[in-house]
Amino acid sequence: MPGKLKVRILAARDLPVMDRASDLADAFVEVRFGQDLEKTEVFRKSLNPEWNTDWFKFEVDDEELQDEPLQIRVLDYDTYSAHDTIGKVYIDLNSLLWKDGVSEISGWMPIFDTMHGIRGEINVMVRVELIEDANQFRQSSCGVHFFSSTRVPSCYAVQAIHGFVEELVVNNDPEYQWIDMIRTPRASNEARQRLFSKLSGELQRKIGLKVLEVEGNAVIGYWQCFDMEGESGVVVRGIGTAATLKKNTAVSPVKDPTKEETVAPDEPLDSHQSSASPQPPKQPPSPSKQTPSRLQLSDPDLSTVGLLASSGGSSGQAPKIIPPKILGPKIAMMEYPFFTIKTFPPNFLAKIGGAVTARSVKLLDRIHNPDEPETRDMWWSEIRTEIRSHAAAMGCNAVVGYKERTSIFDEICLLSATGTAAVVNVGLREAQSHQAILTASLERVELQKDPMATTPPLNDSLEGMTATEVSQCRLCHIPYNDAALPFPVTLATCLLCRKSKVPDVLFMTIEPPSELGYTGRGCCIQARICKTKKKAQGEINAAAISDALPFIEFELHRQLMNRLKVKGMNALFGMRVTVTVGENVLVGNAIATAVYITAMPPPTPLKITSKDTSESGERHLKELQQRFVDVTARNREIYDLASHPQINISLESESPTHGAIVDETNEPQLSSGHTETFVIELDDTEDRQNIADLFEPGLPQGFYSCSTDKLPGNVELAHHLQTVTMMRRQNLSDASTKNLNNTFSEMVQSLCFKLRSNTPCCLCRLSWDMFLTDDNIAYIWLTTSALRVKESETSPLAGSPEPEMMFPMEEVTDISKEG
């Protein structure tokens, strides 16, 4: 559909001094869209110019509106030399192409220069006018909404979830072209910036076309990643969950972030019955009179909308909401039954199996056609097929909380995919028939699973229970048959229904479902490992990394399990495991939020063994075991777990004898592959370091942390303070897990020091990213959102004593107090 783009340049402020003689600037603006260019007049000798131009008009096609960014370039006029660049602004126009959304944006935008950073602000107005086009062969996807949030947006209701969508775009890297040898660093940076903006728009347009094919109107859980492959080019990947959303017209403009959101009773979700033919999606209603016609970028509330929204009910009873149906083919017939969102509507999840992971090492120099995406598509198809087979082995029909990542170093590309295997409700007919037909290969071969290994009925062993009791334990019931376990697992009877089987521990990548019952409050736990490797090239290097990956994965999960037991909890949510590749080092990092699920059994205490039979060795073992008991008991009080009677009974009955020496006949069978992760051997050097890490102090008093959107348990969040990003440059020449743990701990402690005047607060969505260079330099990023916690007299804040911190850092103040 053709369209018209209109731009007005109003003013600028706080520009840098460009003329040394007058300490002022002669600023003007270039407005570029595609190949069209417009200019303003020069505003002489001012650092706060005001142009107030008329509308600059560009007649363009809607496909170009999606692919091309609007470029606004601020320059300083020079009479006898080239004009000096002050900075640029890139505006993505996709948010103005929604049928019932805003068509105009205005406000102050930061002027960014790739060499000097932020250099003032510019006030612009942008308006888009589209003409309706019903051509079914068009190459644009205008009207498709993209949401990067891991849950359904708070102002929308789900009508249907269509499934997994993905796309991949490849282009040459401007920094590896011959012209980069003669152009300036600023020109090289701007060439990359333009390319990234254009590829991002092209990727969204292609994904939007796939969404329109399945009759959807939105992508939720959208994840976009740039893979810098050096001479092979730049790869832009995008994944998401296609859905049909309906806008809630009765949504109040201001919401209480401390209360969880529920679906309006007058807008129920679609019927639970499956349909033989796909139904056309319902178009969103026209905006009400209260809907603003402009999106003011300077509005501070826009940065915090939906941060604490939840799709579950806050009352004690489980909401009677029918889950959204899946249109099109049944989920068993989908090629990849993946869902990238982490928070789901009530009753959408039926059962949870556990975390599934797949990794693969590839060589970039083996790509025959670097400019074509076929080779990368084949790589990711192999990874997704492996993830799908892992979920099928656990008796699950879907993977939720799915995400893909890469780690690239020279010619090595490490592909990783993680998610949580689960059983989802897709309609009564399919749920009752249990036709577990899943594709098992790229050729779409159908395998009829063994009836004994199929998913148990959804209402198995739940007769006579209330809806609230069912919802609080149903999700953690095992989805596989306990007579044919897919892997070694310890099962127990559900502590709520006393009928179904539950595992002793659950690892998940999703957010804590509101339907489950929890005891106490959660906390953040982390694990890291730094493993050295020999310098090598080509297949030898790839083989060495492939051989080391299982050991890194096992060690990270073993550390998580040990920390989980010390905390006295039995489940992990929001788990994120990453492996970063360097020249002669591999770094594994894991972070998750530990909680106690009421229906699952309490964790067994950690066991310590030693071959030292001397008197001093036995005394040291006894002291260490007693210290573990004391720390676990203290953690139970800190996280409000001591009041749970079942935990006390279990710990008293299963407490090991202090100072017991395990002889060789009772040692874990390491050679048979059944290593017990809860056994720590004092004779092992790595385990001694892990023991020291288990006793390290937590956060200062008044601080909480979690890797999820909200801290599970009896903690109420008041309002959002700010989003924080920290970066640390660390030399890994002496690569060790101990040094790496110290660096991560110092970053968290320094952040707490900056936020000390805002206590009590919670560091939500805590995550780490790392990049390794050729000279063993690690760049570490910490990202989190600081939220204010409501103080309660019944649940006093507890934590470790505040350590002395002497950091020359500025203190962050609460903006809400100043107002």
Side-chain angles (χ1 to χ4, degrees):
M1 65 183 76
K4 184 177 294 186
L5 172 64
K6 299 180 179 180
V7 182
R8 282 191 65 191
I9 306 299
L10 302 180
R13 63 188 180 190
D14 301 332
L15 297 182
V17 174
M18 305 299 293
D19 187 357
R20 296 182 179 179
S22 61
D23 289 340
L24 297 172
D26 301 327
F28 71 99
V29 180
E30 290 182 353
V31 181
R32 181 185 296 272
F33 187 81
Q35 301 300 324
D36 299 329
L37 178 65
E38 298 286 351
K39 296 182 180 180
T40 67
E41 295 182 354
V42 180
F43 198 96
R44 300 283 182 176
K45 299 188 182 304
S46 176
L47 300 180
N48 300 285
E50 296 182 2
W51 293 282
N52 290 321
T53 65
D54 295 331
W55 290 100
F56 296 123
K57 300 178 181 179
F58 304 88
E59 293 185 357
V60 294
D61 188 72
D62 54 352
E63 181 180 350
E64 190 176 6
L65 283 172
Q66 288 188 283
D67 290 357
E68 293 284 346
L70 175 64
Q71 304 178 42
I72 299 176
R73 188 181 185 187
V74 185
L75 302 99
D76 178 68
Y77 181 83
D78 288 330
T79 305
Y80 302 106
S81 62
H83 306 314
D84 297 326
T85 300
I86 297 178
K88 299 186 71 173
V89 176
Y90 290 86
I91 301 178
D92 186 1
L93 301 176
N94 281 278
S95 59
L96 302 180
L97 305 181
W98 300 347
K99 293 181 180 179
D100 297 318
V102 295
S103 60
E104 180 179 320
I105 58 175
S106 64
W108 292 93
M109 303 182 185
I111 303 172
F112 179 77
D113 179 68
T114 59
M115 303 297 293
H116 301 285
I118 303 298
R119 309 188 80 187
E121 295 178 310
I122 186 170
N123 193 357
V124 300
M125 295 179 63
V126 181
R127 180 181 298 172
V128 174
E129 298 176 359
L130 287 177
I131 301 176
E132 186 70 24
D133 185 7
N135 181 14
Q136 60 178 341
F137 300 104
R138 68 182 188 273
Q139 294 299 312
S140 68
S141 56
C142 293
V144 177
H145 299 217
F146 284 81
F147 300 98
S148 61
S149 61
T150 58
R151 64 183 69 221
V152 178
S154 57
C155 56
Y156 288 87
V158 182
Q159 288 187 306
I161 297 179
H162 304 277
F164 181 70
V165 289
E166 54 82 24
E167 189 54 72
L168 182 149
V169 178
V170 182
N171 205 304
N172 294 326
D173 192 342
E175 288 198 1
Y176 289 86
Q177 297 176 352
W178 67 268
I179 195 174
D180 192 67
M181 300 175 63
I182 60 176
R183 60 185 173 190
T184 62
R186 175 182 282 108
S188 179
N189 293 340
E190 291 180 354
R192 252 191 176 185
Q193 196 172 9
R194 286 194 302 269
L195 177 64
F196 290 171
S197 300
K198 185 174 182 178
L199 292 180
S200 178
E202 180 184 353
L203 182 70
Q204 291 190 33
R205 177 177 59 83
K206 291 184 176 181
I207 292 180
L209 290 175
K210 294 185 177 181
V211 175
L212 294 177
E213 289 179 0
V214 297
E215 299 182 335
N217 63 3
V219 177
I220 51 181
Y222 181 64
W223 171 261
Q224 181 175 289
C225 182
F226 289 83
D227 297 336
M228 314 306 297
E229 297 183 353
E231 296 181 356
S232 300
V234 178
V235 179
V236 189
R237 298 178 292 105
I239 60 174
T241 303
T244 300
L245 304 182
K246 180 181 179 182
K247 195 167 187 178
N248 291 331
T249 57
V251 177
S252 58
V254 179
K255 297 184 178 181
D256 184 3
T258 62
K259 296 182 179 180
E260 296 182 342
E261 179 187 337
T262 57
V263 179
D266 58 339
E267 293 180 303
L269 301 177
D270 279 6
S271 172
H272 192 245
Q273 298 180 354
S274 59
S275 176
S277 59
Q279 300 293 332
K282 299 179 181 179
Q283 298 296 333
S286 58
S288 58
K289 297 181 180 180
Q290 290 78 11
T291 304
S293 59
R294 296 183 181 181
L295 178 62
Q296 298 293 336
L297 298 181
S298 58
D299 189 354
D301 294 334
L302 294 177
S303 61
T304 59
V305 172
L307 179 64
L308 300 177
S310 175
S311 59
S314 58
S315 60
Q317 298 181 352
K320 298 180 180 180
I321 300 178
I322 300 176
K325 66 179 181 181
I326 298 180
L327 299 181
K330 293 184 178 181
I331 191 170
M333 300 302 297
M334 292 182 180
E335 184 177 9
Y336 302 117
F338 301 159
F339 302 92
T340 56
I341 54 178
K342 298 182 179 181
T343 302
F344 299 87
N347 298 330
F348 182 82
L349 295 177
K351 293 183 179 181
I352 298 176
V356 288
T357 304
R359 304 188 193 275
S360 179
V361 181
K362 302 296 183 181
L363 290 173
L364 297 176
D365 54 5
R366 300 299 175 89
I367 301 177
H368 299 292
N369 297 316
D371 298 336
E372 300 297 330
E374 284 78 10
T375 303
R376 285 91 164 181
D377 285 331
M378 183 181 64
W379 289 352
W380 286 112
S381 296
E382 295 173 356
I383 293 291
R384 293 163 188 156
T385 302
E386 184 177 351
I387 286 286
R388 186 185 61 203
S389 63
H390 291 335
M394 300 178 69
C396 298
N397 60 1
V399 177
V400 296
Y402 179 76
K403 183 165 286 190
E404 298 173 348
R405 298 181 179 89
T406 59
S407 177
I408 299 175
F409 186 85
D410 287 343
E411 78 279 6
I412 295 295
C413 180
L414 174 60
L415 311 180
S416 303
T418 57
T420 301
V423 178
V424 300
N425 285 321
V426 294
L428 287 175
R429 296 179 183 177
E430 184 176 350
Q432 294 176 357
S433 62
H434 300 291
Q435 294 295 328
I437 303 177
L438 294 176
T439 58
S441 67
L442 295 178
E443 290 78 14
R444 306 283 296 161
V445 179
E446 294 183 356
L447 292 180
Q448 179 66 43
K449 297 177 62 178
D450 184 5
M452 292 298 296
T454 55
T455 303
L458 299 181
N459 57 355
D460 182 28
S461 303
L462 299 180
E463 292 84 355
M465 298 179 60
T466 64
T468 303
E469 292 174 342
V470 170
S471 63
Q472 289 184 352
C473 69
R474 171 177 52 85
L475 287 181
C476 56
H477 292 171
I478 58 172
Y480 38 83
N481 196 316
D482 57 356
L485 298 178
F487 49 84
V489 59
T490 303
L491 300 180
T493 303
C494 178
L495 297 182
L496 292 183
C497 66
R498 301 290 182 178
K499 298 178 181 179
S500 300
K501 296 291 185 180
V502 296
D504 62 335
V505 66
L506 267 178
F507 285 10
M508 293 156 283
T509 61
I510 60 176
E511 296 288 320
S514 58
E515 300 98 315
L516 275 177
Y518 307 99
T519 300
R521 64 174 175 86
C523 67
C524 183
I525 62 174
Q526 305 180 52
R528 295 174 197 91
I529 180 174
C530 190
K531 185 177 181 64
T532 58
K533 69 178 184 67
K534 295 182 179 180
K535 294 182 181 180
Q537 297 293 331
E539 293 184 357
I540 298 178
N541 192 22
I545 296 175
S546 299
D547 294 340
L549 286 178
F551 297 96
I552 294 177
E553 197 90 22
F554 173 79
E555 180 62 26
L556 290 175
H557 283 75
R558 188 175 73 136
Q559 292 184 29
L560 290 177
M561 180 71 77
N562 291 340
R563 285 166 170 77
L564 189 67
K565 291 180 178 295
V566 171
K567 297 294 184 182
M569 304 182 190
N570 55 17
L572 293 179
F573 288 99
M575 187 177 69
R576 184 174 185 263
V577 179
T578 59
V579 179
T580 306
V581 181
E583 185 176 14
N584 59 352
V585 67
L586 296 174
V587 178
N589 182 43
I591 186 171
T593 300
V595 298
Y596 186 91
I597 299 179
T598 311
M600 293 173 54
T604 56
L606 280 174
K607 300 178 182 178
I608 305 177
T609 64
S610 176
K611 295 181 180 179
D612 187 2
T613 57
S614 62
E615 183 179 354
S616 60
E618 185 176 352
R619 183 172 61 254
H620 177 63
L621 180 65
K622 183 176 180 180
E623 294 174 354
L624 198 58
Q625 187 71 62
Q626 182 61 41
R627 189 177 178 187
F628 268 118
V629 173
D630 296 340
V631 170
T632 304
R634 183 172 180 271
N635 287 333
R636 289 167 50 209
E637 297 179 357
I638 292 176
Y639 302 112
D640 298 334
L641 301 176
S643 59
H644 195 275
Q646 189 65 31
I647 301 180
N648 298 328
I649 296 176
S650 176
L651 291 178
E652 292 174 0
S653 60
E654 300 183 12
S655 179
T657 304
H658 300 323
I661 307 299
V662 180
D663 52 35
E664 298 181 0
T665 58
N666 294 329
E667 288 184 358
Q669 300 299 321
L670 302 179
S671 59
S672 62
H674 298 286
T675 305
E676 296 181 85
T677 58
F678 53 86
V679 175
I680 300 180
E681 300 179 8
L682 289 182
D683 305 303
D684 192 284
T685 305
E686 294 183 359
D687 278 334
R688 291 186 178 182
Q689 178 61 40
N690 294 336
I691 290 177
D693 294 338
L694 292 176
F695 293 140
E696 64 179 1
L699 296 178
Q701 186 173 2
F703 285 93
Y704 303 95
S705 65
C706 63
S707 62
T708 53
D709 291 346
K710 293 176 60 178
L711 182 64
N714 51 3
V715 175
E716 292 189 62
L717 302 179
H719 61 272
H720 179 258
L721 295 174
Q722 69 174 29
T723 298
V724 181
T725 299
M726 297 181 63
M727 194 274 288
R728 178 71 61 87
R729 185 175 181 269
Q730 178 72 23
N731 191 342
L732 290 183
S733 57
D734 184 16
S736 66
T737 304
K738 180 179 179 180
N739 295 339
L740 197 64
N741 285 335
N742 293 337
T743 301
F744 280 69
S745 178
E746 289 174 3
M747 293 180 66
V748 175
Q749 294 291 343
S750 63
L751 176 60
C752 294
F753 182 80
K754 294 179 64 176
L755 296 170
R756 67 187 185 278
S757 63
N758 294 320
T759 57
C761 75
C762 179
L763 305 179
C764 299
R765 298 180 184 175
L766 186 64
S767 64
W768 300 93
D769 291 285
M770 178 180 291
F771 174 74
L772 299 176
T773 62
D774 297 341
D775 49 355
N776 291 328
I777 299 298
Y779 292 89
I780 306 171
W781 289 271
L782 181 153
T783 305
T784 184
S785 295
L787 279 73
R788 170 76 72 178
V789 176
K790 285 188 176 180
E791 299 187 50
S792 175
E793 296 181 358
T794 57
S795 299
L797 292 172
S800 302
E802 183 176 0
E804 295 183 1
M805 294 178 290
M806 300 296 296
F807 303 106
M809 294 186 176
E810 297 180 357
E811 182 177 346
V812 178
T813 58
D814 190 354
I815 301 177
S816 60
K817 291 182 178 179
E818 299 178 358

